[in-house]
Amino acid sequence: MYDFILNSRIGKLGFITDDNKLIKINFLAETVDVFNQDSLLAQKTGRQLQAYLQNGKPLIGLNYELKGTPYQLKVWRRLQTIPYGQTITYGKLAKELSSSAQAIGNACRANPLPLIVPCHRVLAANGLGGFAGETTGHLCNIKAQLLALEEKYSRKSA
């Protein structure tokens, strides 16, 4: 099912591609075997993700395609404008897009390319909020790690 699977400091990530474009990233169980493909896309994606997760280097220039409903695409395009190291609340984003916080959360949950489309930068009004369909547990811990990483490296570059 996966075209390549990478082991990273936040866990194993499975990638699905179509026509040499990333179309899906999944967070996988630790028991899944890692395998890399020799494709240029796999190599570039692996290098960039490792640089992002180890040194906070922003992800740029990856070849991907977003597939979703018109509403989801609208939300995902807006998520891509949230500056590195900054956050926005579900409520504020909902107000900007004339929507509801719940609809924004649903679009974030359906995000096929977490890390590339930075849904981790969207927070609840009173805390972290969910991540990738979970409101507690491992994936929320990953969200906290990503936010801490970006905060650390955005302060260094300021």
Side-chain angles (χ1 to χ4, degrees), residues 50-92:
Q50 296 298 5
Y52 168 70
L53 294 169
Q54 291 173 4
N55 307 317
K57 186 175 180 182
L59 298 169
I60 54 170
L62 290 175
N63 195 19
Y64 64 90
E65 181 178 359
L66 289 169
K67 297 179 181 184
T69 67
Y71 178 77
Q72 290 170 334
L73 292 169
K74 176 179 163 181
V75 172
W76 299 337
R77 280 191 297 272
R78 175 58 181 95
L79 295 179
Q80 291 177 294
T81 68
I82 302 169
Y84 178 93
Q86 295 183 27
T87 60
I88 190 170
T89 64
Y90 292 100
K92 184 173 181 184

